[in-house]
Amino acid sequence: MPLLMGTVSRGFSGTHFRRPGPELADRVPPGQYLAAGFPVLTAGTTQHIETGLWSFTIRGGRAEPRWTWDDLLALPAERFTVDIHCVTRWTKLDTTWTGVPLDTLLAEADHDAAFGLAVSYGGYATNLPVAEITGGKAWLVYLYDDEPITPEHGGPVRMLVPGHYLWKSAKWIRELWLMDEDRPGFWEQSGYHNFGDPWRQQRYFND
Ligand SMILES: Nc1nc2c(c(=O)[nH]1)N[C@H]1C(S)=C(S)[C@@H](COP(=O)(O)O)O[C@H]1N2
Ligand SMILES: [Mo]
């Protein structure tokens, strides 16, 4: 596992946070504030990946399928609106994305693995049980608000797993490793929670 060096850039400038009213108690997890803008959180540097050079591979199954940008765009896509929650305490409501469900892609891998590790261009990685990225709970997305995802937010293609803190949503996704044993990713090795459920405030390893 490559270890990422350097600073964590927190693009909070110009972003305002407000305390959610009680009417939003079922939308905003405990301890979170509403972000007006869309903060950027990157460990290391922004990756600039040309669509023609991007590909996504699922490793570890009996098949190891790979998709180019054109392959991905040719698959049936979903446009969906979800709330996202960062462990640094901002929540953004009603974000709209377009992409391909992980279910569609994992069906090509012919596997029975229990764990996945999402691996990004640049070396970032984050783990989740396969059960958390199947059943309509995760996507590879390429549009945000009907526009191409900017490099800062993980374009051309990022993973999105809105049911978990946002560090589980790998930007610049490159591979998904399927494994029988769990394997912690970048933040999970650095003291963050292995599972990261925002509703249970699973921020740090012992939460
Ligand atoms: N490749 C990669 N993916 C990443 C990160 C990263 O540093 N590198 N940061 C994670 C964290 S901590 C968060 S909160 C979200 C931030 O996504 P955003 O910058 O689009 O808000 O991306 C996650 N995915
Ligand atoms: Mo984060």
Side-chain angles (χ1 to χ4, degrees):
M1 176 68 47
L3 198 70
L4 287 173
M5 304 301 288
T7 52
V8 176
S9 57
R10 301 176 185 277
F12 286 159
S13 54
T15 300
H16 301 280
F17 300 91
R18 66 184 173 86
R19 199 179 291 276
E23 75 285 359
L24 287 173
D26 62 341
R27 298 282 303 276
V28 182
Q32 297 291 109
Y33 297 84
L34 292 170
F38 192 169
V40 172
L41 271 277
T42 299
T45 55
T46 299
Q47 302 295 305
H48 294 269
I49 315 292
E50 288 176 42
T51 54
L53 296 176
W54 178 87
S55 74
F56 175 66
T57 305
I58 302 181
R59 299 196 185 281
R62 282 173 288 274
E64 297 211 323
R66 176 177 174 268
W67 293 265
T68 64
W69 169 253
D70 288 340
D71 296 334
L72 188 74
L73 266 63
L75 293 172
E78 292 179 1
R79 182 180 183 275
F80 57 95
T81 299
V82 291
D83 304 335
I84 54 178
H85 314 289
C86 175
V87 72
T88 62
R89 297 188 182 271
W90 58 268
T91 282
K92 190 167 175 56
L93 300 178
D94 295 324
T95 63
T96 298
W97 306 84
T98 302
V100 176
L102 249 295
D103 298 282
T104 305
L105 304 166
L106 278 165
E108 302 297 319
D110 187 18
H111 78 99
D112 41 39
F115 298 98
L117 184 72
V119 178
S120 298
Y121 288 93
Y124 184 87
T126 183
N127 58 308
L128 274 175
V130 168
E132 294 300 311
I133 56 173
T134 49
K137 296 197 287 286
W139 296 260
L140 290 201
V141 292
Y142 48 84
L143 299 180
Y144 168 69
D145 255 354
D146 302 318
E147 301 284 342
I149 300 173
T150 60
E152 290 71 22
H153 287 299
V157 184
R158 78 178 295 167
M159 196 154 152
L160 200 76
V161 196
H164 293 258
Y165 281 126
L166 203 55
W167 89 76
K168 297 287 188 181
S169 294
K171 305 198 278 191
W172 317 295
I173 184 80
R174 179 171 59 114
E175 294 181 354
L176 178 67
W177 298 0
L178 297 172
M179 308 169 299
D180 297 329
E181 308 278 330
D182 200 5
R183 177 169 175 173
F186 174 72
W187 286 119
E188 294 85 2
Q189 289 178 48
S190 309
Y192 282 78
H193 199 277
N194 197 53
F195 194 78
D197 179 348
W199 292 97
R200 288 188 277 165
Q201 290 211 65
Q202 294 174 336
R203 300 173 189 276
Y204 308 109
F205 72 98
N206 57 353
D207 285 344

